[in-house]
C-alpha cells in the first residue's frame, strides 16, 4: 500500500529529480561521513541541479539552490512557506511548537515583532553600547595577559554570550559566574541533543532507544527556564522606565497583549532560549571567519584601521552609530559574510499548499531546505564572485540597495533571521574595537591561512582556526 501511495504521489506531480532511495532510511547513508552533510548535498547538486529531492528517513526533502529559486520559495511564496514542520519528532516532543523557531502560531509573529522593536529601541541600543564597552574592557584585559598567539575561541564565546544576555536579559556575567556557566553548559547540551540534524527527526522509531537523551534535554530546558523565571521575577520586583532589554520591554508593554494573542509563559521562555541557541554559535563562528580574513588580507586590515583611527581616533570606543562614518570597515565585514557566512541552509520550511519552484511541483507539507550561500556568489550579481574585494560593498550600507535576494546570509522573507540587527551590531562593535586597538596576526603571519571549512550541527566553521596574536598598538 505504501509503495502504491508513493507511486500515485509521483505520477500526480512533476517532482524534482533525485536519486533512488533505500526503504526506511532513504538517502541518509549517502549524507553521512567525515566530509559533513553540506558537502554531500553539494555533490547531489552537481548531478541533479539546483532543485532536487532526497529521502531523509521518513521525510521527502526538497533542496533549493540559486537566487531565482530561493526567491520563489522565500519571497514570492513566502506567505505559504513560512511555517516550520513542528510535527517532526524533536520539535514536537521538546519544543512543543513554543517560542520562535518551531512556532507557527500568532504568538511567533507577536514575539518576532517585539524582538524587532527591542532591537530598534534607542534605550535598548544605548544600554547595549554600555554593556559592550564593559565587555570589551574585560576582553582587552584578558588579551593583555598574553604575549603570543593563542586560541581566541573562549574569549569570543564569553563576549558573545554576555552580549546576548545583555540584550535579552539585561545582564552581564563575570566569566566564572556559576549561573553563567550553568546556563551556557545546559544550553550547549540542549542544543546538541535537539538540533535538527539529530537522527530521531528522520527515523522517529530510534527515539524508543534514546529516551534518556530527551529526558536530559527536557531537564536542561527546565533548568534554563527556571533561571529565566528568576530573572523575570527580579524584573517584576524592580520595574524600570524606560525598559532597556527585551524581557523588560515585553513585560512592561506587551505581556497583556501577548496573553490576548495566545503568547503564554512557555512561549516567552522558549523564545529567549531560541535566541541564545540561534545566536551564540552564529556570532562565534562569524567572528572567527572575520578574524581569519583580516589576518589573511593585512592590507584590508590596515585600511580599516586607518579609517577607524582617522574618523574616531584611538582613545575612544567605536560605537554602532559610527557605522555610517566607517564605510570601508562595514563593507569589509559584509564581504567576509558574503564569502564565509557560517549558515548554509535556512531552518526547515514547508508549503501549506502545493507550490511550484523552478518548474517543479513541491507538494503540500514537503520539507524544504533552502540554501543561503549560492546567491552570495552568483555571477549575475557579483563580478568575480570568488575574489575577496570589500570595495564592491562601498556605497551599499542598506541591503535595500542590492538586487533582492542576492545577499542572504540572514535568510529572506517572513522568517528571515530575527537576530540580524543585534548580530550586525555585535560584529561591528567587537571587530572594529579589536582593529582599533590591536594588530591581528598569527604566529606565522607569512603563511596564508586555509579557508577550508567543516560542517557541524551548528554551521560551517573554519577547519583550521589558527591561534591568533593580538599585538596591542601604541
Ligand atoms: C551572523 C550571525 C547570524 C546569521 C548568519 C544568522 C542566520 C540565520 C538564518 C539563515 C536563519 C534562517 C531563516 C529561515 O529559516 O528562513 C536564522 C534564523 C534565526 N536566527 Fe539567526 N543568524 C545569525 C545570528 C543570530 C542571532 C545573534 C540571533 C539572536 C539574537 C539569531 C536568532 C535567530 C532566530 C530566533 C531564528 C529563527 C527565526 C524564525 O524561525 O522565525 N540569529 N538566522
Amino acid at each position: 500500500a505504501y509503495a502504491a501511495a508513493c507511486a500515485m504521489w509521483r505520477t500526480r506531480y512533476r517532482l524534482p529529480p533525485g536519486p533512488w532511495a533505500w526503504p526506511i532510511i532513504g538517502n541518509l547513508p549517502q549524507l553521512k561521513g567525515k566530509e559533513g552533510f553540506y558537502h554531500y548535498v553539494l555533490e547531489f547538486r552537481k548531478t541533479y541541479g539546483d532543485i532536487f529531492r532526497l529521502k531523509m528517513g521518513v521525510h521527502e526533502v526538497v533542496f533549493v539552490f540559486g537566487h531565482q529559486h530561493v526567491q520563489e520559495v522565500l519571497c514570492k511564496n513566502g506567505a505559504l512557506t513560512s511555517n516550520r514542520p513542528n510535527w517532526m519528532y524533536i520539535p514536537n516532543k521538546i519544543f512543543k511548537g513554543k517560542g520562535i523557531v518551531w512556532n507557527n502560531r500568532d504568538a511567533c509573529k507577536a514575539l518576532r515583532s517585539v524582538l524587532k522593536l527591542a532591537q530598534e529601541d534607542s534605550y535598548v541600543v544605548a544600554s547595549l553600547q554600555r554593556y559592550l564597552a564593559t565587555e570589551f574592557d574585560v576582553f582587552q584585559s584578558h588579551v593583555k595577559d598574553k604575549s603570543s598567539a593563542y586560541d581566541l575561541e573562549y574569549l569570543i564565546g564569553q563576549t558573545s554570550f554576555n552580549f546576548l544576555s545583555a540584550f535579552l536579559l539585561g545582564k552581564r556575567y563575570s566569566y566564572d559566574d556559576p549561573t553563567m556557566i550553568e546556563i551556557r553548559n545546559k544550553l550547549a547540551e540542549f542544543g546538541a541533543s535537539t538540533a535538527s540534524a539529530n537522527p530521531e527527526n528522520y527515523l522517529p522509531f530510534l527515539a524508543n532507544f534514546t529516551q534518556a537523551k530527551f529526558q536530559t534535554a527536557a531537564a536542561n530546558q527546565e533548568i534554563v527556564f527556571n533561571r529565566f523565571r528568576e530573572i523575570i521575577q527580579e524584573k517584576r520586583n524592580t520595574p524600570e522606565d524606560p525598559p532597556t532589554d527585551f524581557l523588560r520591554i515585553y513585560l512592561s508593554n506587551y505581556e497583556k497583549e501577548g496573553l490576548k494573542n495566545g503568547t503564554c509563559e512557555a512561549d516567552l521562555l522558549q523564545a529567549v532560549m531560541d535566541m541564545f541557541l540561534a545566536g551564540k554559535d552564529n556570532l562565534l563562528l562569524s567572528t572567527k571567519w572575520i578574524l581569519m580574513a583580516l589576518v589573511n588580507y593585512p592590507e584590508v586590515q590596515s585600511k580599516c584601521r586607518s579609517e577607524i583611527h582617522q574618523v574616531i581616533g584611538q582613545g575612544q570606543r567605536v560605537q554602532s552609530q559610527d557605522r555610517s562614518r566607517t564605510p570601508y570597515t562595514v563593507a569589509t565585514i559584509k564581504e567576509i559574510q558574503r564569502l564565509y557566512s557560517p549558515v548554509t541552509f535556512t531552518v526547515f520550511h514547508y508549503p501549506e499548499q502545493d507550490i511550484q519552484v523552478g518548474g517543479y511541483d513541491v507538494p503540500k507539507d514537503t520539507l524544504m531546505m533552502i540554501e543561503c550561500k549560492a546567491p552570495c556568489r552568483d555571477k549575475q550579481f557579483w563580478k568575480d564572485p570568488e575574489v575577496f574585494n570589500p570595495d564592491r560593498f562601498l556605497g551599499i550600507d542598506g541591503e535595500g540597495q542590492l538586487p533582492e535576494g542576492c545577499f542572504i546570509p540572514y535568510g529572506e522573507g517572513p522568517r528571515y533571521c530575527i537576530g540580524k540587527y543585534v548580530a550586525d551590531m555585535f560584529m561591528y562593535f567587537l571587530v572594529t574595537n579589536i582593529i582599533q586597538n590591536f594588530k591581528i596576526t598569527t604566529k606565522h603571519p607569512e603563511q596564508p591561512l586555509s579557508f577550508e571549512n567543516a560542517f557541524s550541527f551548528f554551521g560551517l566553521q573554519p577547519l583550521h582556526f589558527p591561534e591568533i596574536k593580538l599585538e596591542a598598538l601604541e
Side-chain angles (χ1 to χ4, degrees):
Y2 175 73
C6 289
M8 259 177 63
W9 194 68
R10 288 199 168 103
T11 48
R12 197 174 134 205
Y13 294 106
R14 184 170 181 258
L15 297 175
W20 180 84
W22 291 95
I24 304 172
I25 52 176
N27 302 106
L28 287 177
Q30 291 143 283
L31 293 168
K32 211 170 152 40
K34 78 173 178 25
E35 305 274 8
F37 173 79
Y38 186 55
H39 169 85
Y40 300 111
V41 174
L42 290 180
E43 290 298 307
F44 280 116
R45 183 189 181 201
K46 285 184 196 154
T47 314
Y48 296 103
D50 273 354
I51 305 177
F52 56 92
R53 183 167 49 96
L54 297 177
K55 187 127 190 299
M56 292 175 64
V58 295
H59 303 298
E60 291 276 350
V61 182
V62 168
F63 289 80
V64 179
F65 285 80
H67 170 262
Q68 196 197 323
H69 306 133
V70 169
Q71 286 295 295
E72 274 182 63
V73 178
L74 294 181
C75 297
K76 189 174 147 222
N77 287 304
L80 292 176
T81 59
S82 65
N83 273 356
R84 306 290 194 201
N86 56 17
W87 30 263
M88 287 172 88
Y89 184 83
I90 296 173
N92 179 19
K93 294 282 179 218
I94 305 289
F95 293 92
K96 303 186 172 88
K98 299 286 192 293
I100 299 178
V101 178
W102 297 107
N103 192 340
N104 293 335
R105 295 174 296 122
D106 283 349
C108 171
K109 285 195 191 119
L111 285 161
R112 279 184 64 104
S113 68
V114 184
L115 278 160
K116 185 157 184 288
L117 286 172
Q119 291 175 71
E120 290 163 354
D121 183 286
S122 59
Y123 293 104
V124 175
V125 172
S127 162
L128 273 177
Q129 301 279 11
R130 291 191 292 276
Y131 276 113
L132 277 170
T134 311
E135 212 48 54
F136 192 73
D137 288 341
V138 178
F139 179 93
Q140 218 168 354
S141 67
H142 279 261
V143 170
K144 279 204 172 124
D145 295 342
K146 322 274 181 208
S147 54
S148 58
Y150 70 107
D151 186 355
L152 271 183
E153 175 155 344
Y154 168 78
L155 270 186
I156 306 168
Q158 300 283 7
T159 310
S160 51
F161 178 90
N162 262 337
F163 172 70
L164 291 173
S165 171
F167 170 62
L168 296 163
L169 314 175
K171 258 183 182 319
R172 84 164 290 279
Y173 295 92
S174 67
Y175 293 178
D176 54 2
D177 185 298
T179 307
M180 182 203 208
I181 295 170
E182 184 186 44
I183 297 181
R184 283 196 68 180
N185 288 344
K186 298 298 168 195
L187 279 172
E189 275 181 49
F190 178 86
S193 56
T194 60
S196 296
N198 274 279
E200 293 81 357
N201 272 337
Y202 310 98
L203 300 170
F205 69 88
L206 289 179
N208 294 321
F209 310 101
T210 55
Q211 275 310 300
K213 168 168 134 180
F214 296 114
Q215 279 156 9
T216 309
N220 285 337
Q221 187 185 36
E222 197 49 30
I223 291 169
V224 175
F225 280 3
N226 280 336
R227 289 298 180 197
F228 294 164
R229 284 188 184 105
E230 286 161 19
I231 295 168
I232 289 173
Q233 194 50 49
E234 271 170 38
K235 291 187 188 294
R236 288 194 203 285
N237 296 342
T238 54
E240 193 184 72
D241 192 22
T244 55
D245 56 68
F246 164 70
L247 274 182
R248 280 195 189 278
I249 290 213
Y250 181 83
L251 295 174
S252 54
N253 298 333
Y254 296 95
E255 192 173 29
K256 286 204 182 80
E257 264 179 53
L259 293 175
K260 271 187 242 151
N261 66 31
T263 313
C264 56
E265 191 212 30
D267 280 316
L268 179 64
L269 298 174
Q270 188 60 55
V272 177
M273 194 170 184
D274 284 353
M275 293 292 278
F276 271 111
L277 288 169
K280 68 184 179 46
D281 296 302
N282 279 331
L283 291 184
L284 171 63
L285 293 181
S286 301
T287 312
K288 280 167 114 178
W289 285 114
I290 294 173
L291 291 174
M292 280 179 65
L294 290 170
V295 167
N296 218 43
Y297 301 99
E299 65 298 343
V300 172
Q301 186 189 143
S302 302
K303 215 169 153 184
C304 292
R305 183 170 303 109
S306 303
E307 179 180 70
I308 294 168
H309 285 177
Q310 217 169 21
V311 174
I312 297 145
Q314 269 181 274
Q316 214 176 322
R317 287 260 170 277
V318 191
Q319 308 262 336
S320 59
Q321 59 266 32
D322 294 320
R323 282 177 75 90
S324 58
R325 300 198 297 148
T326 53
Y328 186 77
T329 311
V330 171
T332 301
I333 296 175
K334 282 192 191 302
E335 178 67 345
I336 299 170
Q337 271 195 308
R338 183 182 73 81
L339 288 170
Y340 307 114
S341 170
V343 180
T344 50
F345 293 103
T346 63
V347 184
F348 282 116
H349 291 247
Y350 72 86
E352 282 172 61
Q353 60 188 58
D354 298 353
I355 59 167
Q356 282 218 324
V357 184
Y360 292 110
D361 294 319
V362 180
K364 174 178 182 291
D365 294 343
T366 309
L367 295 185
M368 302 186 85
M369 291 195 86
I370 295 120
E371 206 257 7
C372 300
K373 293 178 84 70
C376 297
R377 292 178 184 235
D378 187 330
K379 283 201 183 86
Q380 197 190 331
F381 308 107
W382 308 104
K383 188 167 173 273
D384 302 326
E386 302 305 320
V387 174
F388 178 73
N389 172 19
D391 287 357
R392 67 171 90 238
F393 277 103
L394 283 177
I396 313 179
D397 189 12
E399 268 108 66
Q401 289 158 289
L402 288 167
E404 197 181 48
C406 69
F407 180 63
I408 54 163
Y410 294 106
E412 184 91 313
R415 293 304 278 259
Y416 77 93
C417 171
I418 193 60
K420 174 184 183 308
Y421 304 96
V422 280
D424 279 344
M425 182 176 177
F426 175 81
M427 290 185 294
Y428 177 76
F429 183 91
L430 183 61
V431 170
T432 49
N433 281 292
I434 293 179
I435 297 175
Q436 183 193 42
N437 292 287
F438 299 95
K439 183 173 173 206
I440 311 164
T441 57
T442 55
K443 212 187 282 177
H444 305 291
E446 66 294 346
Q447 283 175 7
L449 298 179
S450 151
F451 278 73
E452 266 184 284
N453 56 44
F455 181 85
S456 76
F457 269 10
F458 308 108
L460 284 184
Q461 44 184 323
L463 188 58
H464 309 285
F465 183 59
E467 296 194 329
I468 301 270
K469 188 168 169 185
L470 295 181
E471 282 173 42
L473 298 165
E474 288 308 308

